[in-house]
Amino acid sequence: MLIAKGQFAEAISQPQAAEKLQKIAQLSTKAGQLSASLQRAKDFPSQLKDYTLFEIKQMLQNKDFSLATEAQLKMVKKLLEDPERVLEKMGTVR
């Protein structure tokens, strides 16, 4: 009921609210918001730059490969879910 009234934070504990808001922000992140070094990765599908993580997950779930291959969708999903880890693996963050 509190959520329906716009009182999201009051409906759940502070840590839970922070976690949910972080998840919403992550799902709303567009591929075009990734750092330039990640967008220059080999085979980065620039046609996905205006799509959010949520939309990319939906494409994978629905097996919609009209914009990108399954491998490209999975790559962008991984980049959006944990860009810092990918950057570390690339050796650009220490």
Side-chain angles (χ1 to χ4, degrees):
M1 186 161 150
L2 287 171
I3 292 173
K5 291 182 179 180
Q7 297 174 319
F8 181 73
E10 290 84 357
I12 57 177
S13 71
Q14 275 295 42
Q16 287 176 322
E19 182 181 322
K20 296 293 182 197
L21 290 172
Q22 182 179 12
K23 185 68 175 174
I24 290 168
Q26 183 185 45
L27 288 170
S28 301
T29 302
K30 292 183 179 184
Q33 293 173 296
L34 289 168
S35 73
S37 58
L38 288 176
Q39 290 186 46
R40 286 191 301 268
K42 184 180 180 202
D43 298 327
F44 183 85
S46 60
Q47 69 273 22
L48 295 176
K49 67 180 174 60
D50 294 325
Y51 290 86
T52 64
L53 174 57
F54 176 78
E55 292 168 320
I56 290 168
K57 284 183 168 188
Q58 290 292 325
M59 286 180 217
L60 282 166
Q61 182 178 344
N62 296 332
K63 298 188 184 309
D64 176 4
F65 307 122
S66 59
L67 290 175
T69 65
E70 182 176 14
Q72 288 174 318
L73 289 171
K74 285 181 177 180
M75 176 183 67
V76 172
K77 176 182 172 276
K78 190 174 193 176
L79 291 173
L80 286 168
E81 288 178 332
D82 198 357
E84 290 81 19
R85 183 165 180 247
V86 175
L87 282 170
E88 286 175 7
K89 285 186 172 188
M90 291 173 57
T92 57
V93 171
R94 300 203 190 270

